[in-house]
Amino acid sequence: MNTQQIIKEINTYITISQNWILHHYNLAMYLAIAILSVLLLLLLSIRKKNKIKALKRSASGLDLALNKTRSGIVNGLKELVGLGRTIDDDFLEELQSTLLSADVGALITTKLIAKLEDDWVGKKIDDNEQIINYLKQELHHTMGKNPPDIDFNQKKPHVILVVGVNGSGKTTTIGKLANSLVKDGKKVLLGASDTFRAAAAEQLEVWANRVGCQIVRQNEGAAPATVAYDAAEAALARDIDVLIIDTAGRLHNKKNLMLELEKVFNIINKKIPGAPHEVLMVIDACTGQNALNQVKTFKKDVKVTGIVATKLDGTAKGGVLLAIQRDLGVPIRYIGTGEGIEDFDKFDKNTFIDALFS
């Protein structure tokens, strides 16, 4: 065999080898793509099922949490309409008392009563048994659309300042919010800037360990603004997605409280321009109109961007959430519907109103 034949044989072998490799490579690639596609579909299916379960759990939790408030409103309404009464001044006065007892708020109640009276006179309602559905639909209309959800991907780190009076449930709320964000795949850091209340930092650290997030804290009595600065610095250095900063809640010393909050505000903004991106105020729903007054007080000094209502399951005054969002223009962002770590949901006014009248 001469040299040319040898070269020809080698080239033939190389071509055969290349075709074989290419064929099997393509086959392997097709197989890998098929496997990845199946895994992706399974993952999406699992996430969809989990989302449906979460929605069902959320709706069920809200339904149970509103039991006391709903009993006061619906039972009162059923008692009114069940007597076969016509809509007159006495009827409207009793209806007004029923709504106000649930802390729906004077402005919303007045508007609903006036609209009901006009529609009754105008024959748009011809049966008082329609009143429950009528009020539900009017509430939907009065409350308008849900505000957009908080976009935690818009800024990094997304900084949340949590304010509220002592006893409102701030620490628990921060823990539950952190848990929700961690489950969504966010890298979360807590800043323990409530250095005045005894054991506040320790309690927050317990939550951090429980939900699997990080925390920055100092000894009791440290300057809150210093802790906030350290937390902001750590958030930048550690590539944190969401930084949640706790604050003191001493309304009995309002002037000093607001001065400290202002310092915390400024120091965060200095380190992370534009921060804090959200100021969430935690209220105890059990306090009804007092909660609304607390929001009014804080709004004078702090730019509150959202409300978290706790202990909703323990009150008959859940209607105050509607009053706060409608009358004060501050959106309800989250609600606490029980003591469990998962008893924490985004607020949806449609689901809330439907559960209120179910």
Side-chain angles (χ1 to χ4, degrees), residues 157-295:
H158 192 98
V159 183
I160 302 172
L161 193 66
V162 181
V163 302
V165 302
N166 286 336
S168 59
K170 281 193 295 95
T171 306
T172 301
T173 292
I174 291 172
K176 289 182 176 181
L177 176 57
N179 177 66
S180 174
L181 291 168
V182 168
K183 284 197 164 186
D184 282 343
K186 301 296 183 188
K187 194 175 179 182
V188 179
L189 174 67
L190 307 184
S193 284
D194 183 357
T195 58
F196 293 97
R197 184 171 63 85
E202 285 83 354
Q203 290 174 7
L204 201 63
E205 188 168 23
V206 170
W207 272 105
N209 293 332
R210 183 179 179 185
V211 306
C213 69
Q214 303 176 46
I215 185 170
V216 169
R217 54 163 296 191
Q218 291 188 12
N219 294 329
E220 188 178 318
T226 301
V227 180
Y229 180 87
D230 290 347
E233 194 170 50
L236 291 170
R238 302 177 192 176
D239 195 34
I240 293 295
D241 295 314
V242 182
L243 168 61
I244 307 174
I245 298 179
D246 188 16
T247 61
R250 301 164 299 143
L251 262 189
H252 64 277
N253 196 356
K254 179 176 174 290
K255 184 178 179 180
N256 287 345
L257 169 64
M258 294 308 170
L259 285 174
E260 286 295 345
L261 281 178
E262 186 178 354
K263 288 180 184 177
V264 171
F265 237 92
N266 292 338
I267 203 73
I268 296 171
N269 187 260
K270 184 177 180 181
K271 191 64 183 176
I272 304 174
H277 306 105
E278 297 289 338
V279 179
L280 296 181
M281 181 173 177
V282 180
I283 62 167
D284 178 351
C286 294
T287 60
Q289 286 297 306
N290 285 336
L292 186 140
N293 292 330
Q294 288 169 15
V295 177

Side-chain angles (χ1 to χ4, degrees), residues 20-280:
W20 187 90
I21 292 171
L22 184 63
H23 172 74
H24 286 82
Y25 173 79
N26 288 336
L27 185 62
M29 285 295 294
Y30 291 144
L31 185 60
I33 290 171
I35 292 172
L36 287 173
S37 298
V38 171
L39 290 174
L40 182 59
L41 287 172
L42 285 172
L43 180 61
L44 290 173
S45 176
I46 291 170
R47 289 187 65 178
K48 185 177 180 180
K49 287 180 180 178
N50 288 339
K51 188 174 182 180
I52 292 171
K53 285 181 181 178
L55 287 171
K56 287 181 178 178
R57 179 191 58 76
S58 173
S60 175
L62 178 61
D63 191 60
L64 290 172
L66 283 175
N67 188 48
K68 290 184 178 180
T69 302
R70 179 175 52 250
S71 294
I73 293 178
V74 175
N75 289 348
L77 290 175
K78 285 181 177 178
E79 187 175 329
L80 274 174
V81 302
L83 297 175
R85 293 166 54 182
T86 58
I87 296 178
D88 53 21
D89 289 342
D90 290 338
F91 181 95
L92 293 174
E93 187 175 337
E94 290 183 46
L95 176 59
Q96 182 179 33
S97 297
T98 299
L99 294 174
L100 289 176
S101 66
D103 277 337
V104 171
L107 291 177
I108 294 177
T109 298
T110 301
K111 185 174 181 178
L112 287 174
I113 297 296
K115 185 72 165 57
L116 173 60
E117 187 173 18
D118 288 345
D119 287 347
W120 178 264
V121 172
K123 303 296 184 182
K124 292 182 180 179
I125 304 175
D126 54 14
D127 185 347
N128 65 4
E129 292 185 1
Q130 298 174 316
I131 288 176
I132 293 178
N133 283 331
Y134 173 86
L135 290 175
K136 182 167 74 171
Q137 295 307 315
E138 283 301 314
L139 262 182
H140 278 296
H141 178 72
T142 299
M143 293 303 298
K145 296 180 179 180
N146 282 313
D149 288 340
I150 298 173
D151 185 1
F152 292 103
N153 298 314
Q154 190 175 21
K155 302 289 183 181
K156 186 174 180 176
H158 192 98
V159 183
I160 302 172
L161 193 66
V162 181
V163 302
V165 302
N166 286 336
S168 59
K170 281 193 295 95
T171 306
T172 301
T173 292
I174 291 172
K176 289 182 176 181
L177 176 57
N179 177 66
S180 174
L181 291 168
V182 168
K183 284 197 164 186
D184 282 343
K186 301 296 183 188
K187 194 175 179 182
V188 179
L189 174 67
L190 307 184
S193 284
D194 183 357
T195 58
F196 293 97
R197 184 171 63 85
E202 285 83 354
Q203 290 174 7
L204 201 63
E205 188 168 23
V206 170
W207 272 105
N209 293 332
R210 183 179 179 185
V211 306
C213 69
Q214 303 176 46
I215 185 170
V216 169
R217 54 163 296 191
Q218 291 188 12
N219 294 329
E220 188 178 318
T226 301
V227 180
Y229 180 87
D230 290 347
E233 194 170 50
L236 291 170
R238 302 177 192 176
D239 195 34
I240 293 295
D241 295 314
V242 182
L243 168 61
I244 307 174
I245 298 179
D246 188 16
T247 61
R250 301 164 299 143
L251 262 189
H252 64 277
N253 196 356
K254 179 176 174 290
K255 184 178 179 180
N256 287 345
L257 169 64
M258 294 308 170
L259 285 174
E260 286 295 345
L261 281 178
E262 186 178 354
K263 288 180 184 177
V264 171
F265 237 92
N266 292 338
I267 203 73
I268 296 171
N269 187 260
K270 184 177 180 181
K271 191 64 183 176
I272 304 174
H277 306 105
E278 297 289 338
V279 179
L280 296 181

